[in-house]
Amino acid sequence: MKDFRLSIVVTLACLAVAGYWGAQSGQGAVPAIFLAFILGVMEVSLSFDNAVVNASVLKDMEEKWQRIFLTIGILIAVFGMRLLFPILIVTVATGLGMGEVATMALDRPEEYARHLQESHVGIAAFGGVFLMLVFLSFLFDESKELHWLGTIEERLSRLGKLGSIEVMAALLILFVLQYVLPLEPLERLTMLVAGVGGVILYIAVSSVGSLFENDEDGNAAVTAAKRNGVAGFLYLEILDASFSFDGVIGAFAITRDVIIIMLGLAIGAMFVRSLTVHLVRKGTLDEYVYLEHGAHYAIGVLAGIMLAGIVYHVSEVVTGLIGIGFILLALVSSVRHRAKTLIAEN
């Protein structure tokens, strides 16, 4: 429980603030606390695979950067992505000042939610393409020695010899989807521009990592990013941001109160961070070797859902269950793999 002490403290504090806010706003302390708790659970269920992938990056970083990820990083995740970023999106979409949008979020939450929902095409395309690249870079990683799906995955990993194949594949998916999905011309253009923006961001993060790579790392820019504190921290924050896009918008289906949304998502984000650190310190990924595979496949499905969700709504419950399902399957496969290894050694 040591790794989750701070999360428990943050949870109690957020629930207390939610209760106080609920009492002051007239919705009631108990309903407000319940909504914040539900949002926290939703965030954890949606981001469990995020914790596993984060752990695969964080395990190669110094302990100092692990602490920064859990402290400064959580402030960025909560106040930056769960509060300021949605306000910034509405600011850009409406042309209003950030102060006016913040006032709108507090006083006219229905109008604020409507503006945020209208920006869903761009948000989903940007985040979906970025996450798709995270999945594809893992799928086409030629240095990967262990293959969860056996021969199929092994053959796909060999395609990694083709330079930037994950970028080509992601762009092809984007071009096809923006063409076949039933969108208005402006929405089609928005999806294309936002999706290309997601590609540019992924390449930019990978390029930052390549500044720190050495001869032993070869051309594995993302691997280099994982091993360097600054670049690794940047990669993790952007990855977390991509996961938070749908969670923030989905939260408005539960409540329109932006304060309760921020508090609830903060609870979930804190537990995801603590879970990441726990997985690193316990060496869970080394013990359960297919967890990283399951998490990346879950990310691939999530990316597909985000892109398809531009037109077709998929319940956050379904998304969360898919992610957890992949993790459980990977856990079972890992246990079987370890048993076979022990039998072979004996």
Side-chain angles (χ1 to χ4, degrees):
M1 293 297 291
K2 179 182 178 181
D3 295 330
F4 294 92
R5 287 176 184 172
L6 183 58
S7 294
I8 294 173
V9 171
V10 170
T11 297
L12 294 176
C14 287
L15 292 178
V17 174
Y20 175 79
W21 176 258
Q24 295 298 313
S25 62
Q27 61 181 302
V30 174
I33 291 174
F34 178 73
L35 288 173
F37 178 78
I38 291 298
L39 287 168
V41 173
M42 182 193 76
E43 179 75 358
V44 173
S45 66
L46 287 174
S47 302
F48 193 86
D49 44 358
N50 186 17
V52 177
V53 175
N54 283 350
S56 71
V57 177
L58 204 65
K59 69 179 182 180
D60 293 321
M61 296 170 65
E62 298 177 0
E63 186 175 349
K64 175 186 72 174
W65 285 100
Q66 293 180 9
R67 290 196 300 269
I68 291 175
F69 173 73
L70 192 59
T71 52
I72 297 176
I74 192 64
L75 294 178
I76 296 174
V78 174
F79 294 102
M81 290 310 305
R82 273 74 177 180
L83 181 63
L84 294 180
F85 185 73
I87 290 176
L88 179 61
I89 290 175
V90 176
T91 298
V92 173
T94 60
L96 300 173
M98 289 192 68
E100 294 176 276
V101 174
T103 301
M104 180 198 302
L106 292 172
D107 298 338
R108 306 189 304 279
E110 296 290 339
E111 182 180 352
Y112 174 78
R114 178 173 57 80
H115 285 301
L116 190 60
Q117 188 63 43
E118 289 173 352
S119 304
H120 178 63
V121 173
I123 295 172
F126 184 86
V129 169
F130 183 88
L131 289 179
M132 183 62 71
L133 276 165
V134 171
F135 164 65
L136 292 174
S137 66
F138 178 82
L139 188 65
F140 296 130
D141 182 7
E142 60 176 321
S143 65
K144 192 161 79 267
E145 298 178 355
L146 194 64
H147 304 287
W148 189 24
L149 301 184
T151 304
I152 297 175
E153 189 175 312
E154 183 179 2
R155 290 179 177 177
L156 287 172
S157 68
R158 291 175 186 171
L159 294 176
K161 295 178 181 179
L162 299 174
S164 303
I165 185 173
E166 69 277 6
V167 175
M168 291 187 288
L171 285 174
L172 180 61
I173 292 171
L174 174 64
F175 291 152
V176 170
L177 286 179
Q178 67 86 30
Y179 180 76
V180 301
L181 289 178
L183 298 169
E184 298 294 328
L186 182 58
E187 292 177 326
R188 202 178 303 279
L189 177 62
T190 299
M191 179 180 178
L192 182 60
V193 172
V196 171
V199 173
I200 293 173
L201 179 62
Y202 181 84
I203 294 174
V205 174
S206 299
S207 299
V208 170
S210 66
L211 294 175
F212 303 95
E213 66 181 33
N214 52 45
D215 294 337
E216 294 180 358
D217 290 328
N219 295 320
V222 175
T223 300
K226 294 177 182 179
R227 297 180 183 278
N228 176 265
V230 177
F233 178 74
L234 178 63
Y235 179 81
L236 287 172
E237 289 303 316
I238 294 175
L239 186 62
D240 175 78
S242 299
F243 271 92
S244 71
F245 289 151
D246 256 18
V248 171
I249 294 179
F252 280 92
I254 297 176
T255 178
R256 302 293 190 184
D257 193 316
V258 293
I259 301 299
I260 298 300
I261 288 175
M262 184 192 71
L263 292 171
L265 297 184
I267 292 172
M270 191 65 216
F271 266 99
V272 170
R273 299 273 166 141
S274 296
L275 179 59
T276 298
V277 173
H278 180 74
L279 292 174
V280 170
R281 292 176 178 172
K282 293 297 183 180
T284 305
L285 296 185
D286 295 327
E287 185 176 359
Y288 300 99
V289 294
Y290 289 121
L291 276 182
E292 187 177 355
H293 293 70
H296 276 92
Y297 279 104
I299 286 175
V301 173
L302 174 60
I305 289 175
M306 286 184 71
L307 292 172
I310 292 174
V311 175
Y312 309 105
H313 175 69
V314 179
S315 171
E316 287 73 21
V317 174
V318 174
T319 304
L321 289 176
I322 289 175
I324 294 174
F326 271 105
I327 295 297
L328 291 177
L329 287 174
L331 183 62
V332 172
S333 297
S334 299
V335 172
R336 290 178 177 176
H337 178 269
R338 186 173 59 173
K340 290 180 181 179
T341 303
L342 291 174
I343 292 174
E345 290 176 351
N346 295 329

